[in-house]
Amino acid sequence: MKEKEPKMHMQHRRLSNAIAYAVLILISLIWLFPFICLVLQSFRSYTEGGGAMVNYLLPKKFSLDSYKALFGEESQFFKWYGNTLIIATFVSIFQTIFILAVSYSLSRFRFKGRELLMRFWLILGMFPGFLSMICLYFLLKQFGLTQSGAIPGLILVGFASSGMGYYVCKGYFDTIPKSLDEAARIDGANRAQIFGIMLLPLSKPIVIYTALVAFMAPWCDYIFASYIAFGYSDSYNVAVAMYRWVNTNDYQGYFTRFCAGGILIAVPITILFMCLQKYYVEGVTGGAVKG
Amino acid sequence: MKRKALALAVSAAMVVSMLTACGGGNSSSGSAETTAATTAATTTAAPAENAGGSSDTEETTAAPADVDYGTGEITIWVADNVQSFTDEQVAKFLEENPQFAGYTVRTEPVGEGDAANNMITDVEGGADIYGFAQDQLARLVSAGALMPISGDYAAFVDSENDAGAAGAAKMGDTTFAFPVTSDNGYFLYYDKSVVTDPTSLDKIVADCEAAGKSFYMEINSGWYQPAFFFGAGCTLTYDTDDMGNFTSCNIDYATDKGLTALKAIINLHKSPAFVNGSSLSSATNVGAIVDGTWDSGAAQELFGENYACAKLPTATVDGTSFQLGGFGGFKLIGIKPQTDANKMQVCLAIAQFLSSADTQLARYEAVGWGPSNVTAQQSDVVKADVALSALAEQLALTIPQGQYPNDYWSLATSLGDTVIAGEYDNATDDELMTVLQDFENTCKSYAQ
Amino acid sequence: MEKKSSGVFAKVSAFFKAVAANLKEIGTTFTEGDWKTKVSYVIMGFGPLMRKQYLRGAAFLAIELGFIYYMVSFGAFYLKDITTLGTQGRGFNPDGTVSYGDNSFLILLYGLLSLILIALLILVWRMNISENRREEQHIKEGRPLPTVMHDIKSLLDEKFCFTLLAIPTLGIFVFIVLPIIFMICIAFTNYDANHQAPAQLFTWVGLENFKNLFSFGQAGFGGTFITILIWTLIWAFFATFLNYFMGMAVAILINKKGIKFKKLWRTILVMTIAVPQFVSLLYVSKMFAADGLVNAYLMKWGIIKTAIPFWTNATYAKILIIVLNLWVGIPYVMLVCTGLLMNIPEDLYESARIDGANPIQMFVKITLPYMLFVTGPFLLTQFTGNLNNFNVIYLLSGGGPQHMKLVGGAGYTDLLVTWLYKLTINDTNYKMAAVIGIMVFAVTAVVSLVVYGMLPSVRDEEGFQ
């Protein structure tokens, strides 16, 4: 572990800073290394190893083969990409609404059964989610929301139970003084108005945080999405489709394409994330302290 | 609407119980008695239909054009690399058979492993026709994901395909699928510039070590592992009934033969050149690899001028050597149980077409899958194929792959993983025998 | 949140007292009530409707009608078979088509739904009675009953929380509560590869599966379960605390005075959160394969002669997973700690420095206690999260390597939750998966309860406001 060196001597400080920089550069390299590899592999030409995995880092010949394959006419990649974008957008919107609604209720109201409800949800959260996968599949099937209807199905599953994830947001609402509510009530506002007109604008960081977290989840969902959309490739999301490229023997030489696809997913999300990083940090920190 | 003459083979009592089953299936009153009757009826029905089927002849295969088959949608699952091929063939089929014009056929790329898993998860939501590797047959039958094939179709399977393939499509005496390939076996691909003598495992490994290359074989797979055990003379087969249940297990791994095989595996693992794996696309430093025909394109590309194939080598343990054997497997096309008699006829016709000699030959030419159809096997192009002839040589040394319970594959992986982890590197013969005895007992426990 | 209970016995007796009081009130309401109230016992909402409480009355009536419609058209059909889960098997017709019999799966699922709806109906019926009683009292005392307008307005004001909570709670009920109850029930059936709906029936088997979980014979799950449980706990411990301390160290390093480009360093680390794990972790997993990038370069540089069996040796695999998890977890902890570290008053350090404390002493005496105090709940959620950390394990090692001593396809790096997944997908052994799911819950609940009681920062919830 690296410690601070608070000696007053300039030389000492310089030395310790130099060590700190060295460590930071090393850490940065380690953290960036897989991404550098991904980028390099995605530009490897098909003439080398035919798009399969290789055991060296620098491609001998750079080309856009993999990207061309993804953008090619036969490729469904952008269909899957679009599916994921649609799912992520809707889940993000509805989940944010749900979480805000639940958080506001639990933060500002004291009703009978409130404690019981919170404790009940806490207990529910301790059951592993995979347990209910097959049950959810058949529930959704009852409403025609599997296979060809998997996209609305995945949106529904994505947000329907999201009310349980209220902790962070409620914690944030708790820090907004109740006296503001009282003042607004004296001015004649009802609680719906207080929520919409007063509290929401004050909670911009937490709204963005909630929406961002919800938006990012569907991009990684390869387990549940494959369970719901199986056998209907038009409904796949990008994770389900790409996961097959590296894990079944039907796809020979798709490795560089996997890397290229990964880059195409990662870049927009990373940019979005970087732009909203401030709010994310605020949400994470607040949530951690409140627990 | 066409119905088979059922009175021939089916007893009156059975008809009654069947009708109860039809009528009462979704309504409220189902008593325990009817269940017993139905189950009994189901088990006897299949062979009975077989017997009856042979008497009423042309009706089923020729699919007369004047019958109205109605409309519907049929889904076909095939591996991604044959999807466009299947599309073309189905289009051709529908053109040749205008009486099925009311049906739209959709193909989806679903790999053979996934297909079986997905079918089992939800039979009703799965494909109407799907391709799968033969080792999934028992699972699929027991989950009710395959319809029994009877009459002329069953006769077609028996007469048109090699004996191994026809046997692979059966559970007990009932046929459940149409064979499409007989190439689901493995052999050796190697780099001529690295491997000088492909007949001896020790030499292959030594050559790879010297060249700094690797020898790939997936010894933690229940499919590749028997190459050693069967080669050394061991047996491991299961008997099944028509319902997909395993009735008994024939195994003699806990013998001196088994010990020799296990030692050969351990010796192989000890070589620094050995890498566990069988997928060319994720292998990075190949000198030689034990793999199947599906990777022949990738292997040709990888080895270029030095591309070569051979049957599996011989292994030598304590001075005795034996030829590696293994499984000869098959790929099949099955139909899920249908509720609509017309659609069932269309599905049968399509599946039969996809399994026919012409289609198999065309499939070989398009994607290199080795045919199971005897006529197609005799064609010159197929006979001239390097990989397929290596496979044919190897297949002569293997047993046709029967049915294995799902737990077996997992158990074999455990054995392989334990070897690879090096736990048996210094084990005595007695210790290894205990391991084999455990393995044997566990295998037996899977059959009830 | 957790209130000190005065013993289980007191709670139980309080519960029975409450039930008795309820029954008594139902009785007195009926005997003392007018005819409108009495009719309401059968036709819910009748009383309120007659007393011009249209909104409430209509709601009660609609619920009753909806319930009856559901039961007649759908629910009763499944409910009647719930004790046997179906008796009628599948059969093939003479023409080769199939006729499916009872579907045990759907019988159990919709049977349970019907049972729950019946319970809810009883609850609503009870509310219906209270409503009648309250209305009667209001009328008796001459107070005006609330108008429809007033009811609607109250749903946007003092009852706004119910408006907001209604749909999210419904969602949780359908997509969480119902499936969980369903899967708990599965643990008491023989639903597995040999008993699959719709082709075959499954039925109740009592505690059979739990016996199997704790049987230590050759094919019993006992030994495997214990092995995996221990690894799950070890993993969660290391994954949580190693990440925590390393993440804090990185945060301290970046916060260090005189370090420039603080934002840049943080951004680099945070990128790992933004890139989907199935891309990054799958790639990292391939990097460490026997013939992967890492081994290839180590051999090329002559550091090792033979490949390191990263994923095939159980010990290596376990260590590697914990180390690689640092790559995933440190950025997150770093983010959390950065903000909090800045909250520690600088004068604390200043006075410590005057007392001659060295940096390590200051860290142990000031930084650590503060951080532990503040981030206690965070650590707890991290720990329970790691108990169920599916992605990292599944994408990196897939749970392997397997071993002859482990049954059910389990490997040495499997967590309970990845094992559960394998049992579901590969073996369709739903009954054992359900049993393990219940065990996961038990472990999580026990850990949470024990740790929660020990947390220093558990304070009265209202205290924050």
Side-chain angles (χ1 to χ4, degrees), chain B residues 18 35 142 216 284 406 417, chain C residues 87 92 98 200 291 402 426:
Chain B
M18 278 299 183
T35 325
S142 122
Y216 287 77
T284 60
N406 206 34
D417 275 357
Chain C
T87 48
F92 282 100
V98 68
Q200 280 150 330
D291 56 349
Q402 288 177 220
N426 300 341

Side-chain angles (χ1 to χ4, degrees), chain B residues 323-373:
Chain B
Q323 167 69 39
L324 296 189
F327 281 133
F330 309 87
K331 286 187 182 169
L332 310 168
I333 282 186
I335 303 167
K336 84 167 174 194
Q338 297 289 330
T339 46
D340 181 285
N342 284 326
K343 189 176 168 188
M344 184 187 79
Q345 292 300 334
V346 183
C347 287
L348 279 166
I350 293 178
Q352 186 189 33
F353 178 78
L354 291 176
S355 158
S356 68
D358 289 348
T359 316
Q360 291 205 15
L361 200 57
R363 189 183 289 116
Y364 167 74
E365 276 159 5
V367 288
W369 288 18
S372 65
N373 183 290

Side-chain angles (χ1 to χ4, degrees), chain A residues 234-280:
Chain A
D234 282 349
S235 299
Y236 286 175
N237 73 9
V238 76
V240 172
M242 281 175 55
Y243 190 68
R244 297 180 307 165
W245 292 352
V246 285
N247 271 290
T248 55
N249 270 341
D250 298 344
Y251 298 89
Q252 298 294 344
Y254 270 65
F255 183 69
T256 54
R257 230 172 288 184
F258 174 80
C259 296
I263 298 292
L264 289 180
I265 300 172
V267 167
I269 296 186
T270 312
I271 292 173
L272 181 73
F273 194 80
M274 292 305 154
C275 298
L276 303 175
Q277 195 188 343
K278 191 177 86 181
Y279 303 108
Y280 185 82

Side-chain angles (χ1 to χ4, degrees), chain B residues 1 3 6 18 21-22 24-28 30-31 34-35 38 42 49 117 120-121 123-124 139 142-144 146-148 216 245 272 275 282-284 337-341 344 406-407 410-411 413-415 417-418 420-421 423-424 435 438-439 441-442, chain C residues 77 80-81 87-103 106 191 193-194 196-201 218-219 286 290-292 296 305-307 309 312-314 400-410 412 425-428 430:
Chain B
M1 212 184 106
R3 276 185 182 255
L6 48 107
M18 278 299 183
C22 297
N26 286 333
S27 77
S28 45
S31 70
T34 26
T35 325
T38 319
T42 321
E49 276 175 42
N117 277 343
I120 287 170
T121 302
V123 174
E124 285 161 296
R139 259 181 106 195
S142 122
L146 286 170
M147 67 168 277
Y216 287 77
N245 300 315
V275 175
S282 55
T284 60
Q338 297 289 330
T339 46
D340 181 285
M344 184 187 79
N406 206 34
D407 290 323
S410 166
L411 180 71
T413 303
S414 300
L415 179 65
D417 275 357
T418 320
I420 297 169
E423 289 200 21
Y424 303 145
V435 172
D438 275 357
F439 190 90
N441 294 343
T442 316
Chain C
F77 169 69
K80 72 179 170 43
D81 282 334
T87 48
Q88 178 78 38
R90 175 203 61 170
F92 282 100
N93 301 320
D95 67 350
T97 54
V98 68
S99 53
Y100 289 113
D102 292 333
N103 186 328
L106 297 181
Y191 183 28
N194 295 322
Q196 289 225 56
Q200 280 150 330
L201 302 167
Q218 180 151 34
K286 304 277 181 198
D291 56 349
K305 280 252 166 50
T306 57
T312 50
N313 178 303
Q402 288 177 220
H403 193 278
M404 286 295 283
K405 287 190 194 116
L406 302 179
V407 299
Y412 273 122
I425 293 292
N426 300 341
D427 297 347
T428 50
Y430 298 107

Side-chain angles (χ1 to χ4, degrees), chain C residues 215-350:
Chain C
S215 84
F216 291 85
Q218 180 151 34
F221 274 60
T224 309
F225 172 66
I226 299 292
T227 313
I228 293 192
L229 176 63
I230 291 171
W231 161 241
T232 305
L233 290 171
I234 292 176
W235 148 262
F237 179 82
F238 279 106
T240 308
F241 288 99
L242 217 52
N243 279 357
Y244 183 68
F245 288 113
M246 299 291 271
M248 204 193 299
V250 173
I252 290 172
L253 190 64
I254 295 178
N255 274 8
K256 183 169 153 46
K257 268 196 204 119
I259 294 288
K260 284 183 187 133
F261 318 116
K262 289 190 195 307
K263 203 165 176 207
L264 172 75
W265 305 120
R266 274 179 211 137
T267 306
I268 289 173
L269 287 177
V270 166
M271 262 181 72
T272 46
I273 302 178
V275 178
Q277 283 189 344
F278 86 94
V279 176
S280 55
L281 288 185
L282 219 47
Y283 185 78
V284 171
S285 150
K286 304 277 181 198
M287 263 171 54
F288 285 90
D291 56 349
L293 206 60
V294 174
N295 270 322
Y297 275 97
L298 287 178
M299 285 204 268
K300 200 183 273 177
W301 295 332
I303 298 172
I304 51 169
K305 280 252 166 50
T306 57
I308 302 172
F310 285 117
W311 296 130
T312 50
N313 178 303
T315 316
Y316 287 169
K318 285 176 178 177
I319 294 172
L320 187 62
I321 282 184
I322 290 175
V323 170
L324 288 178
N325 185 52
L326 287 174
W327 188 81
V328 180
I330 283 182
Y332 194 69
V333 180
M334 188 267 306
L335 275 187
V336 171
C337 289
T338 304
L340 295 176
L341 283 170
M342 287 191 236
N343 289 349
I344 303 178
E346 188 57 30
D347 46 341
L348 276 180
Y349 290 112
E350 212 49 61

